[in-house]
Amino acid sequence: MATMAPKHELLLKLVSVFATLYLAMAGDPDILTDFIVPPNNPAPDGNLFTFTGFRSLVGAPEPPNFKVMKASMAEFPALNGQSVSYAVLIYPAGSVNPPHTHPRAAELLFVLDGSLEVGVVDTTNKLYNQTLQVGDIFVFPKGLVHFQYNSDPSKSAFALSAFGSASAGTVSLPGTVFNTTIPDEILAKSFKTDVPTIQKLKAGLAQ
C-alpha cells in the first residue's frame, strides 16, 4: 500500500483537530463570569435568579390538550451560560407529546403524577419504550427522536423535565415536516404517497 503524501497527512491531522474542537464545543459555551446579567437588569438582586412562571399552574384547570411550559433561557434569562433548564408537561387523558427531538440537550423526564408510555428511537431505528409510573425517571439522549403518551382514558399525567442546556430547542417531527414550506410533491415522494394525502395531513395538523 502506498504511503500517504505528507500534505494529505497534514490535512488529515488538521481535520481531526477541528473535529475534536467542534465536539468539545457542541454543548452550551462556558462563561468567564459567575453569571450573565441581562442588558435590561443593570443592578441585579435575588429576583434575577427567581422564576415565577410556573405559579400559574397552581390551581389552574386541566388543559384540553397536551401542554408544556418552559423555563429556558428565553423565559428565564438568568439561565444564560448555566447549561440547565426545566419544562413542566401536562398530559390530559389520552394525550400525546408527538415525536420530537432536542438538538442541544439530553432530557431527564420525572413523572410526578399518573403514568406515561415513553419511547426513544436510536440511529439504527430501534425503539426503546417503557411504561413509567409516579417517581420514575427516563432519559432521552440528546438529538434522538422520542415521545410521551398518556394512554389512560380517564386520568391525566404530570411530569417535569430537566435539560442539559439553557436552550435545548425542540424539533417537532409532525410540525417540521408538514407545517413548513416543503413542497407537497417532495413530501408525497418522500412518504411514498400522493399530494392529496399530504394536504389532508397538513389540514389535520393545522386544526
Side-chain angles (χ1 to χ4, degrees):
M1 182 183 293
T3 58
M4 188 180 296
K7 64 179 181 180
H8 291 156
E9 224 175 304
L10 178 61
L11 181 61
L12 183 60
K13 288 179 180 176
L14 286 171
V15 169
S16 298
V17 169
F18 284 123
T20 302
L21 288 172
Y22 175 79
L23 289 173
M25 296 184 297
D28 287 2
D30 286 334
I31 58 175
L32 301 177
T33 57
D34 293 338
F35 50 88
I36 298 174
V37 179
N40 62 348
N41 196 342
D45 57 16
N47 291 315
L48 172 66
F49 305 100
T50 306
F51 180 74
T52 61
F54 292 156
R55 288 182 183 178
S56 63
L57 295 172
V58 179
E62 183 179 294
N65 302 304
F66 166 74
K67 181 178 181 179
V68 58
M69 288 188 68
K70 298 179 181 179
S72 66
M73 192 172 71
E75 299 82 15
F76 190 11
L79 296 183
N80 188 8
Q82 303 303 319
S83 301
V84 67
S85 57
Y86 268 130
V88 171
L89 305 103
I90 306 170
Y91 311 81
S95 65
V96 64
N97 185 4
H100 62 281
T101 70
H102 302 292
R104 294 184 289 275
E107 175 183 0
L108 203 58
L109 181 86
F110 179 32
V111 179
L112 298 170
D113 191 31
S115 65
L116 289 172
E117 308 291 329
V118 302
V120 60
V121 181
D122 70 12
T123 54
T124 68
N125 293 329
K126 181 177 179 180
L127 172 65
Y128 300 84
N129 59 318
Q130 186 63 273
T131 300
L132 303 180
Q133 306 295 335
V134 173
D136 291 346
I137 290 177
F138 194 89
V139 62
F140 301 105
K142 179 167 67 174
L144 296 187
V145 173
H146 58 279
F147 64 87
Q148 301 110 32
Y149 171 48
N150 179 10
S151 60
D152 193 311
S154 59
K155 180 175 170 53
S156 62
F158 188 74
L160 181 69
S161 283
F163 300 91
S165 169
S167 181
T170 300
V171 180
S172 168
L173 269 61
T176 299
V177 172
F178 296 107
N179 282 343
T180 57
T181 55
I182 299 174
D184 292 349
E185 294 79 8
I186 292 176
L187 292 176
K189 287 182 179 295
S190 299
F191 287 93
K192 303 186 185 309
T193 185
D194 51 41
V195 169
T197 299
I198 295 297
Q199 292 174 340
K200 186 176 180 179
L201 286 167
K202 285 186 172 182
L205 287 169
Q207 295 175 357

